Amino acid sequence: MPAVPLFIMDPLWSQFEALIPPVVDEHPLGCHRPRIPDRVVFDKLVQVLVLGASYAKISDTTCSATTIRRRRDEWIGAGIFTALEQLCLEAYDRIVGLELENLCVDGCIVKAPCGGQIAGRSPVDRGKQGTKRSVMTDGAGIPIGVLAAPANRNDSPLLAPTLQKLDRFGDYLPQQITVHLDAGYDSAKTRGLLTALGHDWQISTKGEPLQAGARWVVERTNAWHTRGFKKLLVNTERRATVNDAFIALANAIIMIRRLVREAWTT
């Protein structure tokens, strides 16, 4: 049984395959071992993302762990994961439409037992190593930008680089944007930043009971990340580029799933 349903996996692979650059055979004799098919390696990477297992446990007679890691790094170097996420965003915006008038941003802390570039002392896990994801979604909860940082970083300083992810939309942003934030962003610095960017805001007030608002969708997106993809629940990658690649792949799967769900009722 595939880690992701075939009605999502097949279109995902079709677009991913189109982004893979051609491989130039530079072996002088042309007698090396046959290259493992890209589809086999891609399926293994999806299994690593969804199941959270190590490369060694996912490998078998069809593909070794070394091949999975080597091909993964080749695709990261070619920018395929980022390009795939961008294409899924454009497709969703063209078919359904992104609600960019309302943006929601929130942080999510997960374990990072292996340490690495984006690991730090977690304030919610007795100082153990952790990673924080600053997640930005549109008004419907579609992830449009994710920034990974050590767990000991506060939410407020991560807001500016997270909002910079909007540059991927170029001149297609609406003139008026409202940013919905929780009480962790309740500061004069945050309001000054949003004012400088020309955005409105709705920020929960510190010290008051939990206030309902439109930002619940980003909490749901964090649940999609951590409950649907075990690799994002426990970050075992030491390099930031590899972690970002898995986040981009997870976002692409989420958007394709939402497109299919919207098609049922549209």
Side-chain angles (χ1 to χ4, degrees), residues 37 39 58 72 83 93 99 109 111 115-116 123 139 160 163 177 189 201 211 228 232 243 249 262:
R39 178 63 190 266
I58 292 296
R72 176 206 64 192
D93 190 29
E99 300 178 20
I109 297 179
K111 294 178 180 293
L163 290 174
I177 295 176
K189 182 178 179 180
W201 64 80
Q211 301 141 59
L232 303 187
N243 181 72
L249 182 57
E262 290 289 341

Side-chain angles (χ1 to χ4, degrees), residues 193-266:
L193 169 66
L194 296 176
T195 300
L197 294 174
H199 300 335
D200 294 332
W201 64 80
Q202 288 188 5
I203 305 177
S204 300
T205 306
K206 289 182 179 179
E208 295 188 4
L210 183 63
Q211 301 141 59
R215 50 168 297 278
W216 66 271
V217 295
V218 70
E219 301 287 358
R220 183 183 60 179
T221 303
N222 285 332
W224 287 343
H225 280 152
T226 55
R227 298 305 177 188
F229 308 100
K230 301 303 182 184
K231 191 69 170 180
L232 303 187
L233 177 62
V234 181
N235 175 28
T236 56
E237 299 294 345
R238 297 181 58 84
R239 287 188 291 154
T241 54
V242 178
N243 181 72
D244 291 344
F246 278 117
I247 292 174
L249 182 57
N251 289 342
I253 293 174
I254 288 173
M255 282 180 273
I256 293 177
R257 183 185 295 131
R258 295 304 300 174
L259 274 173
V260 174
R261 178 173 290 275
E262 290 289 341
W264 292 347
T265 57
T266 302

Side-chain angles (χ1 to χ4, degrees), residues 64-76:
S64 68
T66 301
T67 299
I68 298 173
R69 288 190 290 264
R70 184 186 298 119
R71 201 76 57 88
R72 176 206 64 192
D73 292 341
E74 290 178 6
W75 292 341
I76 291 175

Side-chain angles (χ1 to χ4, degrees), residues 23-91:
V23 178
V24 179
D25 188 357
E26 298 180 349
H27 196 282
L29 301 178
C31 57
H32 53 76
R33 295 176 60 186
R35 180 180 174 87
I36 302 297
D38 290 331
R39 178 63 190 266
V40 174
V41 181
F42 180 75
D43 288 347
K44 296 294 184 185
L45 284 176
V46 173
Q47 292 176 29
V48 170
L49 172 64
V50 175
L51 304 178
S54 66
Y55 299 101
K57 290 184 177 180
I58 292 296
S59 64
D60 52 25
T61 56
T62 64
C63 184
S64 68
T66 301
T67 299
I68 298 173
R69 288 190 290 264
R70 184 186 298 119
R71 201 76 57 88
R72 176 206 64 192
D73 292 341
E74 290 178 6
W75 292 341
I76 291 175
I80 296 178
F81 293 97
T82 303
L84 176 68
E85 182 186 21
Q86 182 66 26
L87 286 171
C88 289
L89 272 174
E90 294 173 358

